[in-house]
Amino acid sequence: MTKHMKKKYSTFVPLILVFVFMVVMIVYTSKLVYSVAVLNSNAVIEDRIKNVSSLVDNHLNTAENVLQITADSVHHMLISGSTPARIHEFLVEETENVTEQFGENYHGLYGYIMSKYMDGLNWEPPEDYDPKTRDWYVVAREKDGEVALVPPYVDAQTGNLIISVSRMLSDRQNIISLDVQLNGIQALMDELTLNGKGYGFVMDESGLFIAHRDESLKGTYINTTDEGQELLDAVKNTKSGNFSHTYDGEECTLFVNAISNNWYVVMCLTNDELYEEVKSQVAMTIFISTLVLVMIAVLYYVSRKNDQNYSKRMEEMKAEEQRKEYETKVLKLEKDAADEANKAKSNFLANMSHEIRTPMNAILGMDEMILRETDDQKIRKYATDIHSAGKTLLSIINDILDLSKIESGKMELVPVDYDFASVLNDVVNMTMTKARDKGLAYDLNVDPNIPSILHGDEIRIRQVILNITNNAIKYTEEGGIKVDVGFDRKPDMLMIQVTDTGIGIRDEDMDKLFSSFQRLDETRNRNVEGTGLGLNITRQLAEMMGGSIDVKSEYGKGSVFTVRIPQEAVDETPIGDYTERLEKSREQKDEFVPKLVAPRAKILIVDDNEMNLEVITELLGESKIRTRVALSGNECIEMVKKESFDVILLDQMMPGMSGTQTLEIMRKENLADGTPIIALTADAIMGARESYIKEGFNDYLSKPVVYADLESLLIRYIDPALIESAGDHIADEPGTGERTKKEDKDKPLVLVINNSTEKLSGLKDVLSTHYKGVFVKDEADAKKFLAKHSVEFIIRDGSAPETE
Ligand code: ADP
């Protein structure tokens, strides 16, 4: 059975059952109603007949009583010898009394008394009137002292039906009689109907209608026809009760009651009349039942439909829910897949970075060796080109890594207190020459009121300023650039605005400006180096720091990039006239001679890549520092067990044991205690200085190793007593310093005790003209140095120069 058919059956079967039940109910109730109605009608009719019967009986009894009393009185009068005149007088009086007391129907006492007819109404009989021949006289004698009822007759004068009641006195001579009119009985015929239907009559045993609904039949006989005779016989046979009979061609039911004097009270109803009532009741019952059935069916149908609609809706909702659930699952799977892919991408980039940085270390290192050792101009040119291409490649890798870090949510800000002038120095150092090389004006306006020390992520601030400044130079061929630096209060906000007179940006390109890998105006910019990543990173960094970047540009005329980044002021001392300081320091720079010579120092370099080991060893050649190498963490541990070193450069990513694991073991086993251990890493994603320090390293150096960075790091960590010569090695951030290499052995020594590289940068410009600066990180190192050297004066952290 199909689902559809099942549904249909389940709808109709209950309806059919209800229908059958209702039909049975209707038949049963109809029968019940019918029989109750018939019984009810019969009871009503019989009641009425009995009522009429008793009224008719009353009528006759009253007449009999009046007659008895009058007869007894006349009898006494006769015994007491009353005269005939007196008795006649009595009859007249009594006639009046009776009429007065019982009504017009009882009218006229008369009799045959003392052999003479006497009349209470003083009626004078005609001459030939012989009382002894009259019915009342004859019947009374026949009844011999009992009350006799003379058959009714029609009064010739009035046309009324009259009955006489008479009695013979006990002297068997005299007879007294009373006439009674039967009009009162006729009035009762109105009672003999059932709601106006049918008719009734009263007849005597001879078939004379004493009263009839049809008054014209009163006084006639029923048995003038055979049919009438049959009916009379049937009535007489029944006496009391009912029977069916065909009369006047119609099926009738006759209700009969016999009363005294052999009279019969009869009521006749045609069957149609009798059952019309019953039928209408049954019809009403059927109608109501059918109505109820129809209502039940309709209600059932409606509720069934509602039910179906409801379950359909429920099913739809369920389906919808399932669909949504499915979609959510699919979305989640898609998102998981996307996350997974993103993660894979980030990992890929991190690995690529490592893989590319490692050979780059060798390339740039070896290149530097070539530059150092050759005087051949051609080869120097090639090496310089390699150097510049290598740097570009590194910056691209750094951009890609930054972006992947931002996208994977791994970019973390490292807020520190920093010297803002030092950040500016770096930016200016890296951009001013480029601008001037291109023949562009470089206009720098720094608000002298900028607080000297700010709190924020110094590296990212530098990156943001550097990027928009570099772009301005890159995309400007004529005119120049202007860098405005300011600081707003409430809230503290660093503001950098770079304006150029470059190619500008088309309005329609504005939207694409910050999309990754999106370069604009490609034909024009074909020769400009770039990846289309810089601005995207810049904006994301600015926003991460709670700031914003805003661009206004006119195509062909130039652009204005404005960056606003909240930076807290830590030291309110104003930065002062920065431009003047800058000019001075640039003039002095070329004379400054950096050089590290420490033949008594010994360092251990740990790296699984032999080329890297060779590069670092070669780079350190001129410093005369003794170098030992290890190709793995294990080898490193074995070596530190046997020998002690002044500094250990420990590579991070090595097969087998990583740098961190090697460090852990050394720390646990108290190996190389007190020896500064520097992380060497190509993994820029993990490259934050803080995270390496957290792991227990003293510092970190990122690959490819730039000699200037290596040198300044070693100066910071090698015991100053071991250093024979150390030039201007104020530690710049990796990769930012440009070094001059002139020796300056003869200048007096100045010892600077400070471990904040930022603070030192200001000092280097001041000192370099007349002194050779030696920088130590704390008092202990200073003591060691002072034990073997004499210095011109010492500069301590934050204090003014004091001469010894
Ligand atoms: P790119 O590495 O190409 O410089 P950026 O993300 O820094 O990437 O810049 C995206 C694009 O925006 C550039 O390719 C260039 O077309 C346009 N652009 C950026 N700065 C400027 C500027 N100062 N003037 C004109 N166009 C610029």
Side-chain angles (χ1 to χ4, degrees), residues 39 63 80 107 236 243 249 258 316 398 459 495 529 562 598 610 624 634 657 681 684 705 744 779 797:
L39 281 177
S80 60
H107 196 58
K236 279 177 166 176
F243 62 92
E316 279 170 6
N398 286 342
I459 296 175
M495 194 277 297
E529 253 175 28
T562 312
E610 284 186 57
K624 300 202 175 74
N634 276 330
M657 214 191 300
T681 176
V705 174
D744 193 8
E779 294 287 338
D797 191 10

Side-chain angles (χ1 to χ4, degrees), residues 471 474-475 500 505 513 519-520 525 530-532 534-535 559 561:
N471 274 355
K474 271 200 309 192
Y475 299 105
D500 65 54
I505 300 155
L513 198 60
R519 306 202 66 209
L520 317 175
N525 293 332
T531 51
L535 280 182
S559 318
F561 282 75

Side-chain angles (χ1 to χ4, degrees), residues 23 55 211 251 282 298 505 589 618 697:
V23 168
L55 288 171
E251 273 292 313
V282 171
V298 168
I505 300 155
K589 195 156 186 173
E618 291 292 334
F697 289 97

Side-chain angles (χ1 to χ4, degrees), residues 166-185:
S166 60
R167 194 192 126 193
M168 185 170 77
L169 302 187
S170 55
D171 57 16
R172 309 194 79 183
Q173 298 283 323
N174 301 303
I175 286 169
I176 295 289
S177 192
L178 169 68
D179 272 357
V180 180
Q181 295 201 38
L182 296 179
N183 290 349
I185 295 174

Side-chain angles (χ1 to χ4, degrees), residues 50-303:
K50 286 218 170 98
N51 203 23
V52 169
S53 299
S54 76
L55 288 171
V56 173
D57 268 343
N58 267 348
H59 206 72
L60 293 179
N61 285 343
T62 308
E64 275 180 30
N65 289 339
V66 168
L67 183 72
Q68 290 280 27
I69 292 165
T70 311
D72 286 347
S73 302
V74 170
H75 179 68
H76 282 293
M77 286 178 87
L78 285 172
I79 290 170
S80 60
S82 295
T83 59
R86 175 70 197 114
I87 291 172
H88 181 232
E89 199 180 329
F90 172 71
L91 282 183
V92 173
E93 283 167 14
E94 202 57 20
T95 297
E96 279 173 13
N97 281 344
V98 170
T99 308
E100 209 168 285
Q101 200 174 339
F102 300 107
E104 291 292 325
N105 289 332
Y106 304 89
H107 196 58
L109 281 159
Y110 57 93
Y112 185 73
I113 302 157
M114 297 167 98
S115 309
K116 194 172 144 185
Y117 177 75
M118 282 187 203
D119 194 307
L121 289 171
N122 287 325
W123 176 64
E124 285 293 329
E127 285 284 302
D128 56 345
Y129 183 75
D130 181 7
K132 287 181 183 169
T133 58
R134 304 312 292 185
D135 280 350
W136 53 273
Y137 184 87
V138 177
V139 177
R141 287 210 77 90
E142 273 171 16
K143 289 277 179 179
D144 197 15
E146 280 182 28
V147 175
L149 278 157
V150 183
Y153 64 95
V154 178
D155 182 49
Q157 281 177 353
T158 61
N160 286 340
L161 203 62
I162 289 174
I163 182 177
S164 301
V165 199
S166 60
R167 194 192 126 193
M168 185 170 77
L169 302 187
S170 55
D171 57 16
R172 309 194 79 183
Q173 298 283 323
N174 301 303
I175 286 169
I176 295 289
S177 192
L178 169 68
D179 272 357
V180 180
Q181 295 201 38
L182 296 179
N183 290 349
I185 295 174
Q186 178 62 36
L188 295 174
M189 290 308 98
D190 286 347
E191 299 268 305
L192 287 182
T193 62
L194 184 67
N195 301 333
K197 286 170 200 128
Y199 63 94
F201 55 88
V202 180
M203 67 176 178
D204 69 3
E205 59 183 335
S206 66
L208 174 72
F209 289 123
I210 291 159
H212 198 290
R213 180 75 191 271
D214 179 359
E215 209 172 339
S216 65
L217 293 175
K218 195 171 71 178
T220 63
Y221 286 89
I222 191 170
N223 48 356
T224 47
T225 59
D226 287 348
E227 205 184 16
Q229 185 58 49
E230 255 176 52
L231 186 66
L232 179 61
D233 292 341
V235 168
K236 279 177 166 176
N237 284 338
T238 308
K239 283 198 170 70
S240 282
N242 62 66
F243 62 92
S244 295
H245 191 82
T246 310
Y247 186 62
D248 264 356
E250 271 195 280
E251 273 292 313
C252 299
T253 300
L254 289 111
F255 297 82
V256 183
N257 190 37
I259 52 172
S260 55
N261 204 25
N262 287 336
W263 285 13
Y264 299 94
V265 179
V266 181
M267 191 174 153
C268 177
L269 281 144
T270 63
N271 282 359
D272 281 349
E273 285 169 337
L274 181 60
Y275 300 125
E276 191 181 352
E277 191 83 357
V278 176
K279 273 182 198 157
S280 69
Q281 283 189 31
V282 171
M284 187 52 89
T285 312
I286 292 173
F287 173 72
I288 289 172
S289 306
T290 314
L291 204 70
V292 169
L293 175 70
V294 169
M295 273 163 66
I296 288 176
V298 168
L299 281 177
Y300 178 80
Y301 181 76
V302 168
S303 74

Side-chain angles (χ1 to χ4, degrees), residues 399 467-468 471-476 498 500 502-505 512-522 525 528-538 553 558-561:
D399 276 357
N467 184 275
I468 53 172
N471 274 355
I473 299 167
K474 271 200 309 192
Y475 299 105
T476 305
V498 181
D500 65 54
I503 59 171
I505 300 155
K512 301 182 227 153
L513 198 60
F514 295 100
S515 316
S516 43
F517 299 106
Q518 189 78 51
R519 306 202 66 209
L520 317 175
D521 218 350
E522 295 257 28
N525 293 332
V528 182
E529 253 175 28
T531 51
L533 289 177
L535 280 182
N536 183 341
I537 295 170
T538 303
S553 185
S559 318
V560 184
F561 282 75

